Amino acid sequence: MGHLHEFSVVKKNKPIAVYTGSMEKINFGDQKIDKVLIDYDTKLKRVKVHKLPVRELLDKELDLSAIEKDEILNTIRIEMKKENLKDRIIRFKVKLSNKAISIIKKNDIEQILYDLGAFFVSRISLEPVIE
């Protein structure tokens, strides 16, 4: 069961079998899954499930193919300020015009995300839009 990421009661009858799942969100498939800690009372044979405070994931995409080259980084900053990036893990895709794709650097975008509080930037994808 080591590949299941989600909490599950595997067997309700004697003996009870409960699986915690992973304790952290380890990929973007876990984005909407709550992570839990299991408290099992051996005398009462009862399970209490406690939601864990884990880092949230944000998978964001922006289409900036119509934005002028010199305004792209500023537009990214403005749009990402609208999101709560504090302590989050970010995966970010930006659609850009053919003319802008060679000018915009992933490191510049990454720095914006970190400046806005991101805990970790897992990936930045720059996708060209054919004009």
Side-chain angles (χ1 to χ4, degrees):
M1 294 185 70
H3 209 75
L4 298 177
H5 297 205
E6 197 167 349
F7 164 76
S8 177
V9 177
V10 180
K11 186 176 175 198
K12 292 182 181 180
N13 298 324
K14 296 178 184 178
I16 188 170
V18 181
Y19 183 70
T20 62
S22 60
M23 302 295 280
E24 276 286 341
K25 294 184 178 191
I26 57 174
N27 65 44
F28 280 85
D30 290 344
Q31 191 170 0
K32 295 183 176 155
I33 296 173
D34 288 334
K35 298 301 179 172
V36 300
L37 173 73
I38 298 170
D39 179 7
Y40 181 69
D41 186 322
T42 56
K43 291 182 182 177
L44 298 175
K45 301 193 186 303
R46 290 191 184 155
V47 173
K48 286 185 185 177
V49 178
H50 305 277
K51 184 178 173 185
L52 290 172
V54 296
R55 284 192 177 86
E56 295 298 324
L57 308 174
L58 176 65
D59 195 8
K60 186 70 177 176
E61 179 177 320
L62 291 177
D63 184 347
L64 303 180
S65 59
I67 303 295
E68 294 295 323
K69 294 179 282 190
D70 57 343
E71 285 298 315
I72 290 172
L73 292 177
N74 190 45
T75 303
I76 289 172
R77 183 176 301 279
I78 290 167
E79 290 301 312
M80 295 310 288
K81 277 184 177 180
K82 297 175 185 176
E83 302 286 340
N84 176 13
L85 301 188
K86 180 139 178 63
D87 292 328
R88 291 178 98 177
I89 298 170
I90 313 296
R91 181 170 65 180
F92 191 55
K93 181 194 286 187
V94 184
K95 294 182 178 182
L96 299 169
S97 69
N98 283 343
K99 296 173 186 173
I101 198 90
S102 62
I103 295 170
I104 301 302
K105 304 295 180 231
K106 290 181 183 181
N107 289 347
D108 293 335
I109 296 171
E110 186 176 84
Q111 190 58 55
I112 290 169
L113 299 175
Y114 282 124
D115 288 348
L116 294 174
F119 173 77
F120 181 69
V121 178
S122 72
R123 182 174 47 171
I124 295 174
S125 301
L126 304 179
E127 184 176 302
V129 174
I130 307 299
E131 297 173 354

